[in-house]
């Protein structure tokens, strides 16, 4: 199986974000399994520092936010103050690649819904059939599955949708 994905890390996601390069972007390739293992260790009330050094390594630190604030407020005077920091080094991969950019398409239906809601709906529908058909019109979104013994139709209310745009008088 091959999976290709691109992650754009926005500086708005962080309390502090420093990027000192003259390049507008940096492309880092690493083993996603190892990165996932490291990131899964970061829990609530913990902070994350990610740095890229010239040795083609990604340095990742996970620390207890509250203890770090206490240490920082003491101006790092207490050298023995343990902030429960875990440090990781992830080797980057040197790969030859072309940056793939998807074509911009203008679709007749744009539907935005939280993945958890959609997952729950699909989970329910999968109990009654293997194939799911989606019916979109100006005023309703319905998902349907059927097998030889039964069928199920699930309507999605508009308050569950983050965004729903459909071409006028469109029905698919």
């Amino acid at each position: 199986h091959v999976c290709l994905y691109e992650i754009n890390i926005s500086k708005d996601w962080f309390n502090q974000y420093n990027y000192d390069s003259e390049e507008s972007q940096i492309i880092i390739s690493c083993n996603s399994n190892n990165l996932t293992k490291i990131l899964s260790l970061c829990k609530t009330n913990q902070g994350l520092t990610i740095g890229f050094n010239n040795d083609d390594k990604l340095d990742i630190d996970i620390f207890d936010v509250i203890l770090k604030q206490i240490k920082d407020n003491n101006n790092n005077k207490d050298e023995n103050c343990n902030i429960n920091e875990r440090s990781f080094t992830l080797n980057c991969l040197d790969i030859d690649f072309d940056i793939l950019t998807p074509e911009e398409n203008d679709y007749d239906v744009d539907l935005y819904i939280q993945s958890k809601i959609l997952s729950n709906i699909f989970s329910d529908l999968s109990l009654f059939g293997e194939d799911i058909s989606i019916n979109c019109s100006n005023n309703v979104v319905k998902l349907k599955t059927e097998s030889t013994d039964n069928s199920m139709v699930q309507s999605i209310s508009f308050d569950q949708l983050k965004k729903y745009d459909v071409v006028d008088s469109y029905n698919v």
Side-chain angles (χ1 to χ4, degrees):
H1 298 282
V2 175
C3 179
L4 172 68
Y5 62 94
E6 177 180 323
I7 300 173
N8 291 310
I9 300 175
S10 172
K11 66 181 178 182
D12 299 336
W13 297 356
F14 300 93
N15 294 333
Q16 182 179 358
Y17 182 95
N18 299 322
Y19 182 71
D20 299 331
S21 178
E22 293 180 17
E23 298 177 43
S24 63
Q25 67 178 356
I26 187 167
I27 297 172
I28 301 170
S29 299
C30 62
N31 183 312
S32 60
N33 289 331
N34 293 335
L35 182 61
T36 300
K37 285 179 192 177
I38 294 169
L39 295 179
S40 69
L41 296 174
C42 189
K43 306 292 185 229
T44 303
N45 295 324
Q46 290 186 322
L48 183 68
T49 301
I50 301 174
F52 179 70
N53 62 41
N54 292 333
D55 296 332
D56 287 334
K57 295 184 187 293
L58 205 56
D59 296 322
I60 303 172
D61 296 325
I62 299 174
F63 55 88
D64 191 336
V65 173
I66 295 170
L67 292 175
K68 183 169 182 353
Q69 288 174 347
I70 292 169
K71 186 173 182 179
D72 290 346
N73 288 341
N74 291 334
N75 296 323
N76 295 322
K77 290 178 186 172
D78 187 1
E79 302 267 335
N80 296 324
C81 181
N82 184 355
I83 60 171
N84 296 330
E85 184 174 73
R86 290 180 272 177
S87 298
F88 306 90
T89 301
L90 187 60
N91 291 327
C92 294
L93 303 175
D94 186 20
I95 58 175
D96 292 327
F97 62 91
D98 293 325
I99 296 177
L100 302 175
T101 54
E103 293 180 24
E104 290 291 326
N105 291 320
D106 189 23
Y107 296 103
D108 292 331
V109 176
D110 291 324
L111 179 96
Y112 295 84
I113 187 170
Q114 287 183 351
S115 58
K116 185 171 180 103
I117 293 172
L118 191 60
S119 176
N120 289 338
I121 292 170
F122 282 174
S123 183
D124 293 346
L125 286 165
S126 69
L127 296 173
F128 297 94
E130 292 182 9
D131 297 324
I132 298 172
S133 61
I134 302 172
N135 181 305
C136 299
S137 65
N138 286 343
N139 56 359
V140 69
V141 176
K142 288 187 179 182
L143 295 92
K144 179 180 180 180
T145 187
E146 57 188 330
S147 66
T148 56
D149 298 331
N150 52 44
S151 67
M152 177 183 172
V153 175
Q154 170 76 48
S155 296
I156 299 178
S157 65
F158 288 112
D159 61 335
Q160 290 179 299
L161 300 175
K162 295 243 182 229
K163 180 180 174 186
Y164 182 63
D165 291 326
V166 63
V167 174
D168 286 335
S169 302
Y170 185 75
N171 189 23
V172 63

